[in-house]
Amino acid sequence: MSLVKEKEGRMFVWNCAGELKLLLTALLFLCSLITLIHFIPCRFSFSPSDFNIPTTPFHSVSNIKTTNSAPPPPPSLDKDRVLQNGVVKRAFNGFGSAAYNFILMSAYRGGYNTFAVMGLASKPLHVYSKPSYLCEWVPLNKHQNPISVIGNKILPDWGYGRVYTVLVINCTFPISVSTGKLVIHAVTNGGGDTNVNTTDIFVALTETETDFVNFTTTYEAPPKYDFLYCGSSLFGNLSPQRVREWLAFHVRLFGEKSHFVIHDAGGVHEGVMEVLKPWMDKGYVTLQDIRDQERFDGYYHNQFLVVNDCLHRYKFQAKWMFLFDVDEYIFVPKKSTIKSVVNSLSDYTQFTIEQMPMSNKLCLAEDRGKSYRKWGFEKLVYKDVKRGIWRDRKYAVQPRNVIANGVHMSQNTVGKTTHKTEGRIKYFHYHGTIAERREPCRQLVNATAITVDGTPYVVDTTMRDVAATVKRFELKMIGSTLQRTRQ
């Protein structure tokens, strides 16, 4: 009995050993196969398309629809061929597109029979071809026939555009129109390839009866604002303190019936937002996020585009529209006000403003040890007085008479322009200070006049003298909420 059990035990052990050998052999084979896969050339790799698996983003998986249809075959290529006279005719095959024909930002009514369409267009297209635009008004009333006119194209940034240039299309119909769709037919007219004449058709504006009534109300009513600021694109790591100073100064200057449109191209970070918010809550500031325009390579963060959108968006809501930057401060003499100045210039559609360039690093020695408590325009008191050079001017317009805006002035106005505003209005320019988040005083000077790097400067305390009044105004308007604002 014991002999039998002993034999059965040996047989059991032997059988397990065989299975174990088989298992180890299989594992060795599998490991060898995995190792070999790493050395297989990339041309043998697989992608989802090899298995007809849709490659949609993970958040859109629920929207995947199975289909048995095969993808369309690629277009056939032109090939080189030999002509009857023995000449070898070479073939050229184009793929893709270098730039969009048109990128729509906005469209607004400019009257009962006229509209303005703002967007970007391919600069090479406009340099090397002659694209054209057809404006079509399609009434919502099916019993009325559509009406078409040739669109007048305006290039307000001509010469400054990069891949894209700013384009304003003016559509003026021979009769009044209401409640319908504004359709634009954008024709490339070759566009660099004389064998191709592409037309892109898109709806620029859809107007309901309510929209038309709202426009009529705004158009026929007195302007809501006396002054409206159309700001260029804000970008970079801006100083919250400099933005704070600029806003307090100009809200005080322009008064209760003023408004500021700020365009955020990436510059309104958390610190700047904290400065803007109190004035937004008071109704003085509208902040627009335009960061998506960075997808399209235009001049200077597409500032020409946003100031034209601002013009037509608020055209009938403001008596005067000012265009300048957030490192520039408008100033009028003590015996006048901004209202008295514009009233004296009311016969003009546009006037330009003389620049007072200020040093962005020279401060008075008497501010040593306390400059960090002073505001930027309070301590930067040295004015550049170099003669014989051209300095940029900024400007203001009566927007109802303007067709398109520029940055330093408009070339598309109805009415007169004057540049003779010396002694009545000017602006102090603290170049670059808005983009530096540090103490601007980097050289303290104990002199009324000094020359630095070949540039002569003299002390000008015009802005320093109003600093205390501006600080009290801010405290009165929004309290102490911004007292701890950092550079």
Side-chain angles (χ1 to χ4, degrees), residues 16 65 121 134 159 193 195 211-212 260 267 297 340 367 462 472:
C16 288
K65 295 182 180 180
L134 179 72
D193 186 348
N195 288 335
D211 295 331
F212 183 70
F260 299 80
D297 185 21
S340 66
D367 290 340
T462 301
R472 288 194 297 270

Side-chain angles (χ1 to χ4, degrees), residues 51-68:
F51 299 98
N52 199 27
I53 298 175
T55 56
T56 55
F58 68 91
H59 58 272
S60 302
V61 171
S62 60
N63 295 325
I64 296 175
K65 295 182 180 180
T66 58
T67 177
N68 295 324

Side-chain angles (χ1 to χ4, degrees), residues 15 19 73 219:
N15 288 339
E19 293 173 355
Y219 182 72

Side-chain angles (χ1 to χ4, degrees), residues 239-258:
S239 166
Q241 175 60 26
R242 300 288 89 82
V243 176
R244 172 198 177 188
E245 299 166 5
W246 184 92
L247 260 178
F249 180 91
H250 287 98
V251 173
R252 175 183 174 272
L253 174 72
F254 288 121
E256 185 178 354
K257 294 186 67 176
S258 64

